Amino acid sequence: MLCLNITRSTPIQRTPRVVQIEGLFDLPPARRSELTWQVHLPIDDRPWQIGLIVGPSGCGKTTLARKLFGEDLAGGFEWPEHEAIVDGFPVELSIKEITLLLSSVGFSSPPSWLRPFRALSNGEQFRATMARALAEQPDLVVFDEFTSVVDRTVAQIGSAAVAKTIRRRPGQQFVAVTCHYDVAEWLDPDWIYEPATDNFQWRLERRGRPPLWLDVSRVNSSAWHLFRNHHYLTAKLNPSAVCFCAFLDGRPIAFSAWLPFLGRLRGKQRARRNHRTVCLPDFQGVGIGQAVVDFCASLWTGLGYRAFSASSHPGEIAAKNRSTHWRVLRAPSRAVRGGDGNMRRLTRTRATNRLTASFEYVGPTLDPDLARRLHGSNIQGPMFEVET
């Protein structure tokens, strides 16, 4: 067990105003201001990956973090003034490694990757900094003021995305230092320490993040304006697309548009294909985009269609490869060479300079009556939980 006595001492300049404050508030005259903490941390007693130091401002969180993990404190990175954020990562990393890191912490918007750090939103800067810390500190990352500059809903989802990434990296340890208690259940740490009370707690069982429930509605194509700048290919939307929007606590956070599938199918089979799907950057990293695509695909199969999706985004391809709801029709390649047993020919992809992969939805089907109602109007659909 780590047992530390930490004292922080600061000289007091006895100016006339200082003397006045002492008199007004009956403070004893002093030449120095001292704060002392007694710390008991048994973090060496068992294996762990994620820790949380939490408490109100002034309780000693940052002082403790610097004392224990000084060299591993993240932040203060120098980013290129005018170059893209991808140019701020270590030169030995490949572009594939950089994009996977950015995607893993929930920053999956290639258009934003091409902007300078100073041009990003607070939420994007937080995630970019997290990705760079993981790139440069593969053993231990200590993040002070964790989620302090972002909206609390964004902070919670961002915490879940970070935790998901840390758990997938063998040997990686992460300590969040924050005054916000609301991230604890989303970060799901192995231990929690509160300096204000010197209270340490091992969490013997991972509890998992709280359920994240979305509802979906069919929307007018004008909703695309909120999402178009975040799509990784183009801001254009086919005017004949059928569009859906997912909402979290009434806030639109994800969009999915679908078109008729023009490839040849056997008999009188009908099909739809995913045209555009975007999850806003602040809500990426916990599977929302894939959950929305799955829901829309289940709607189409509930209406008697087959549902297809093609993508060149590495995160989307990886998610569908892991999912039992999709089967691979074509592994990543630049052109389609053939079809499966139920399909004579798939439409040749237009992608000549990037790899794309194709999938067919084989997951659960939405109730046909509900699917017809949701497809035919802008009624609110059923709420569904996002699984990670």
Side-chain angles (χ1 to χ4, degrees):
M1 176 183 292
L2 290 174
C3 298
L4 301 174
N5 287 315
I6 301 174
T7 299
R8 186 174 181 181
S9 180
T10 306
I12 297 177
Q13 300 296 323
R14 297 187 54 75
T15 66
R17 287 182 176 176
V18 168
V19 174
Q20 283 183 296
I21 291 295
E22 291 174 344
L24 285 171
F25 296 95
D26 197 25
L27 298 176
R31 293 292 179 181
R32 304 190 70 83
S33 174
E34 291 190 350
L35 294 172
T36 301
W37 296 272
Q38 290 187 336
V39 179
H40 301 85
L41 281 177
I43 57 176
D44 292 334
D45 291 358
R46 62 181 66 179
W48 59 273
Q49 277 195 281
I50 299 176
L52 175 63
I53 299 175
V54 62
S57 297
C59 73
K61 301 184 302 296
T62 299
T63 299
L64 171 62
R66 287 175 178 166
K67 183 73 173 179
L68 292 176
F69 313 109
E71 296 182 357
D72 297 301
L73 279 172
F77 295 120
E78 292 187 6
W79 293 90
E81 179 68 17
H82 303 291
E83 299 170 11
I85 61 165
V86 293
D87 291 316
F89 284 77
V91 294
E92 62 270 18
L93 291 183
S94 68
I95 193 63
K96 181 178 179 180
E97 291 173 314
I98 294 171
T99 57
L100 285 176
L101 268 175
L102 288 166
S103 297
S104 72
V105 296
F107 190 13
S108 302
S109 298
S112 296
W113 297 344
L114 305 183
R115 299 176 189 141
F117 183 80
R118 58 182 173 79
L120 302 179
S121 68
N122 284 341
E124 291 172 330
Q125 288 184 350
F126 161 68
R127 297 190 189 228
T129 302
M130 187 73 234
R132 185 162 168 188
L134 292 175
E136 299 189 16
Q137 299 169 220
D139 298 321
L140 173 62
V141 173
V142 182
F143 206 108
D144 196 10
E145 299 295 338
F146 182 71
T147 75
S148 293
V149 297
V150 295
D151 168 89
R152 299 322 304 160
T153 301
V154 174
Q156 293 164 1
I157 292 177
S159 297
V162 168
K164 185 178 176 181
T165 297
I166 298 298
R167 299 288 183 192
R168 288 179 175 173
R169 291 166 63 96
Q172 178 76 65
Q173 292 181 312
F174 175 76
V175 178
V177 183
T178 181
C179 61
H180 297 285
Y181 285 83
D182 61 346
V183 303
E185 54 184 350
W186 296 83
L187 195 61
D188 196 18
D190 300 305
W191 56 262
I192 299 176
Y193 180 68
E194 298 178 80
T197 58
D198 191 30
N199 180 36
F200 180 91
Q201 175 188 0
W202 283 109
R203 290 159 60 97
L204 300 180
E205 294 183 6
R206 288 186 55 202
R207 306 173 190 181
R209 64 161 176 78
L212 185 63
W213 292 92
L214 305 179
D215 60 69
V216 64
S217 297
R218 183 170 175 180
V219 294
N220 187 276
S221 59
S222 60
W224 174 241
H225 290 273
L226 178 63
F227 300 90
R228 62 181 182 179
N229 291 332
H230 302 289
H231 195 267
Y232 69 98
L233 290 180
T234 175
K236 294 180 179 180
L237 182 74
N238 191 302
S240 62
V242 176
C243 305
F244 301 91
C245 194
F247 298 83
L248 177 64
D249 298 329
R251 301 167 65 177
I253 65 169
F255 176 96
S256 190
W258 294 72
L259 290 173
F261 180 79
L262 301 180
R264 293 183 182 178
L265 301 172
R266 282 187 174 179
K268 296 182 179 180
Q269 289 181 320
R270 301 178 299 169
R272 291 290 183 268
R273 67 179 178 90
N274 186 211
H275 173 47
R276 297 281 183 267
T277 294
V278 176
C279 180
L280 294 180
D282 283 343
F283 301 93
Q284 295 173 358
V286 294
I288 290 174
Q290 188 57 48
V292 172
V293 173
D294 284 8
F295 179 84
C296 293
S298 74
L299 179 148
W300 291 117
T301 56
L303 294 173
Y305 293 85
R306 294 171 69 181
F308 300 100
S309 179
S311 177
S312 63
H313 194 294
E316 291 185 31
I317 294 174
K320 285 186 172 63
N321 276 327
R322 290 192 301 266
S323 174
T324 58
H325 294 170
W326 296 86
R327 69 183 180 98
V328 179
L329 297 179
R330 175 172 53 84
S333 62
R334 284 188 172 80
V336 177
R337 297 178 179 174
D340 62 74
N342 296 320
M343 190 178 301
R344 296 176 186 170
R345 181 177 61 85
L346 287 173
T347 305
R348 183 170 295 274
T349 178
R350 296 179 181 178
T352 57
N353 60 351
R354 56 188 170 86
L355 299 178
T356 63
S358 295
F359 302 85
E360 180 177 6
Y361 180 75
V362 293
T365 295
L366 191 65
D367 176 76
D369 290 336
L370 179 57
R372 283 191 291 270
R373 290 171 55 213
L374 184 56
H375 177 260
S377 68
N378 61 352
I379 65 167
Q380 179 176 304
M383 297 189 74
F384 61 95
E385 185 178 358
V386 177
E387 298 181 0
T388 55

